[in-house]
Amino acid sequence: MSNHIFIATMKPIEDLKYVFERYNFGIGSGEDYRIGCNLPLTLPYVYEIYGYEKLSLISFLEEFMEFGDVVEIYEYWEGQALPESINVPKEARTINLLQRTYKDEFGEYQFDKRNWMEELATRTVVSNRSVTTFVKY
């Protein structure tokens, strides 16, 4: 059984090498998985990411996303222990990078403006049970 982390974006990520060099995680096309698996992602550009740390992923999203952007992240498990795709909408979370908020099934939380990235890194940002949606508006 193996897992894959996918990120779906509204616009293409132009320089994948830059992402690796700047944020120290790998990123490549996830289109084969979009076609072959039942991924619950709705945005047009799909990438697989690997070897990431939460803080570096959050930093990348903060730089990459512009006002009005949306990014989805989902963890897909291959193998027999979990179904191909689990999507439990009640467990979905929305993270607003502009407002510095985290919303999940238990409520909405406001992060401190000075250390919001560190606070967010302590929360669940990637799940195999539902899509995490990052917004910037």
Side-chain angles (χ1 to χ4, degrees):
M1 179 169 60
S2 63
N3 71 321
H4 304 271
I5 308 297
F6 293 100
I7 181 171
T9 63
M10 295 174 61
K11 61 185 179 190
I13 300 172
E14 299 293 338
D15 191 350
L16 301 180
K17 184 178 177 184
Y18 169 79
V19 173
F20 175 74
E21 291 171 352
R22 173 121 165 99
Y23 298 100
N24 199 31
F25 64 84
I27 185 165
S29 176
E31 288 302 317
D32 290 343
Y33 285 95
R34 177 197 282 281
I35 294 166
C37 303
N38 187 23
L39 299 178
L41 300 170
T42 62
L43 299 174
Y45 301 98
V46 176
Y47 301 91
E48 182 175 7
I49 59 175
Y50 45 93
Y52 76 97
E53 293 180 7
K54 279 187 195 178
L55 204 49
S56 64
L57 177 61
I58 295 165
S59 295
F60 162 71
L61 292 172
E62 173 65 13
E63 180 184 323
F64 172 73
M65 293 177 70
E66 297 174 356
F67 184 79
D69 279 351
V70 176
V71 169
E72 298 170 329
I73 297 181
Y74 182 70
E75 183 178 19
Y76 172 79
W77 284 82
E78 287 182 296
Q80 298 177 353
L82 294 171
E84 278 187 10
S85 177
I86 299 171
N87 192 14
V88 185
K90 71 178 179 120
E91 293 183 19
R93 62 206 49 79
T94 301
I95 299 165
N96 189 319
L97 296 180
L98 187 65
Q99 302 297 321
R100 312 290 194 236
T101 58
Y102 179 96
K103 184 177 180 181
D104 63 10
E105 63 189 295
F106 303 110
E108 187 168 357
Y109 310 93
Q110 180 75 51
F111 293 121
D112 184 287
K113 302 278 188 217
R114 292 169 295 189
N115 61 345
W116 69 272
M117 283 190 190
E118 291 79 12
E119 286 184 38
L120 178 54
T122 66
R123 302 278 184 161
T124 301
V125 295
V126 178
S127 171
N128 68 326
R129 296 184 52 82
S130 61
V131 173
T132 299
T133 305
F134 285 81
V135 298
K136 198 168 193 178
Y137 48 76

